[in-house]
């Protein structure tokens, strides 16, 4: 789904990305927000996935750091329930232009359901790609209906069980939508081998962005393996230990018993083991999302 002065992103390690606390409404049209403090290194140990906590936020990843776009005092209601936009889209456009990056009209809007919701994760993916691409990327919170987040029925390359979306009639979620230019999108696509990027139409999955916009459609990464389910899809657990313990209760298998770090290492060494286990116990369901 993946989603600029011209400094290559490899010169900006995540641990040193500065963060500005200026909300979008205060961003000057002609200048970038001045970094005010360094962003602490965000751990990405497999057992700690999805590395986001339970909060979402609007932000602008720039070549100079990360600008916080949420209003002062935080957000206390879903994006669609705000009486005015939380994020100024003109300020995003101005920030991109000042950084020498592609405008929103030349970008693809992708709703993230896992670690891709954070600019730190995306900056790390850009850096690890080894490509000299422009890092500037907007992240805006959004409300989406009839979609929920569970677990892919297959491990990632590093042994954790990643997030995956599924259709859930009547459900409403607060997630993050990210605008990627073509080069960024190609990089993020390559990091998602267990997914296909699909279109969700506004008529079937209503979306409201923190900018107040209701886009005609958004993209999302959908699992090609289905989602973990026990009678119905299992909602995303925010710690790997939780989903492993749940699988122990459902299967009794030693494969997913023990400390999360050790289980991730075990699964990384045997990439097909989890998929075999969950299919043997009928713990996989289709995600119900549109293809084609």
């Amino acid at each position: 789904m993946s989603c600029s002065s011209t400094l290559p992103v490899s010169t900006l390690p995540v641990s040193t990305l500065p963060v500005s606390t200026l909300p979008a409404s205060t961003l000057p049209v002609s200048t970038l927000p001045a970094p005010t403090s360094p962003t602490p290194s965000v751990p990405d140990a497999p057992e700690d996935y999805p590395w986001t906590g339970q909060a979402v936020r609007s932000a602008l990843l720039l070549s100079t750091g990360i600008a916080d776009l949420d209003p002062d005092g935080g957000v206390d209601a879903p994006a669609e329930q705000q009486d005015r936009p939380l994020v100024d889209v003109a300020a995003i456009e101005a920030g991109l232009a000042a950084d020498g990056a592609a405008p929103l009209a030349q970008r693809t809007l992708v709703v993230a359901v896992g670690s891709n919701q954070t600019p730190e994760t995306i900056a790390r993916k850009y850096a690890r790609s080894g490509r000299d691409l422009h890092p500037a990327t907007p992240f805006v919170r959004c409300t989406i209906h009839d979609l929920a987040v569970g677990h892919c029925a297959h491990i990632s390359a590093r042994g954790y069980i990643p997030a995956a979306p599924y259709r859930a009639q009547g459900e409403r979620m607060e997630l993050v939508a990210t605008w990627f230019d073509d080069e960024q999108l190609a990089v993020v696509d390559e990091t998602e081998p267990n997914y296909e990027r699909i279109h969700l139409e506004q008529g079937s999955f209503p979306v409201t962005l923190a900018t107040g916009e209701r886009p005609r459609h958004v993209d999302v990464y959908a699992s090609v393996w289905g989602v973990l389910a026990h009678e119905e899809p299992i909602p995303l657990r925010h710690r790997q230990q939780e989903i492993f313990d749940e699988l122990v209760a459902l299967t009794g298998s030693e494969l997913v018993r023990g400390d999360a770090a050790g289980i991730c290492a075990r699964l990384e060494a045997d990439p097909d083991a989890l998929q075999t286990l969950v299919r043997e116990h009928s713990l996989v369901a289709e995600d119900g999302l549109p293809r084609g």
Side-chain angles (χ1 to χ4, degrees):
M1 72 172 131
S2 301
C3 41
S4 293
S5 108
T6 57
L7 287 175
V9 73
S10 58
T11 66
L12 295 169
V14 172
S15 60
T16 61
L17 285 174
V19 60
S20 165
T21 57
L22 292 177
S25 59
T26 68
L27 292 179
V29 171
S30 59
T31 61
L32 294 175
T36 59
S37 62
T39 299
S41 179
V42 177
D44 68 340
E47 65 272 18
D48 294 330
Y49 177 89
W51 314 307
T52 59
Q54 298 191 37
V56 297
R57 85 189 205 263
S58 297
L60 182 58
L61 173 62
L62 296 166
S63 60
T64 52
I66 301 171
D68 185 1
L69 301 181
D70 275 341
D72 291 336
V75 178
D76 59 3
E80 69 177 9
Q81 293 181 1
Q82 302 295 323
D83 56 7
R84 60 187 178 85
L86 294 168
V87 176
D88 183 355
V89 71
I92 293 177
E93 292 280 26
L96 291 172
D99 210 24
L104 296 181
Q106 296 176 18
R107 293 171 178 263
T108 299
L109 187 61
V110 183
V111 171
V113 300
S115 63
N116 285 356
Q117 294 184 87
T118 70
E120 292 85 357
T121 292
I122 295 301
R124 195 158 46 224
K125 289 189 174 188
Y126 293 163
R128 289 173 177 170
S129 76
R131 299 184 190 177
D132 185 13
L133 51 73
H134 203 305
T137 310
F139 297 73
V140 295
R141 60 175 68 233
C142 66
T143 303
I144 186 165
H145 288 262
D146 300 326
L147 190 79
V149 182
H151 299 267
C152 179
H154 197 286
I155 63 162
S156 71
R158 299 176 63 205
Y160 60 82
I161 304 176
Y166 60 92
R167 182 189 288 273
Q169 200 69 30
E171 197 61 55
R172 182 184 72 187
M173 298 206 73
E174 291 294 293
L175 297 172
V176 171
T178 307
W179 273 286
F180 296 110
D181 69 26
D182 290 345
E183 290 184 344
Q184 295 166 348
L185 191 62
V187 166
V188 182
D189 278 350
E190 290 175 3
T191 69
E192 305 294 350
N194 293 313
Y195 299 81
E196 59 181 316
R197 183 161 46 85
I198 64 172
H199 290 304
L200 301 181
E201 298 294 335
Q202 175 78 337
S204 299
F205 298 90
V207 179
T208 302
L209 304 180
T211 59
E213 299 166 290
R214 291 178 171 81
R216 288 184 300 173
H217 62 79
V218 295
D219 283 6
V220 71
Y221 286 105
S223 169
V224 300
W225 304 102
V227 295
L228 295 183
H230 179 228
E231 298 180 351
E232 58 186 32
I234 299 171
L236 182 66
R237 307 311 185 202
H238 287 275
R239 294 174 59 245
Q240 288 290 293
Q241 192 69 60
E242 293 179 44
I243 188 60
F244 289 146
D245 290 347
E246 196 161 344
L247 290 175
V248 170
L250 293 170
T251 67
S253 174
E254 293 300 313
L255 178 69
V256 285
R257 189 186 301 276
D259 174 78
I263 298 168
C264 288
R266 194 181 307 146
L267 294 176
E268 181 180 7
D270 189 355
D272 295 325
L274 181 85
Q275 184 192 18
T276 299
L277 174 69
V278 296
R279 291 198 177 278
E280 285 178 349
H281 288 81
S282 300
L283 297 176
V284 181
E286 297 299 318
D287 60 25
L289 298 175
R291 261 72 169 182

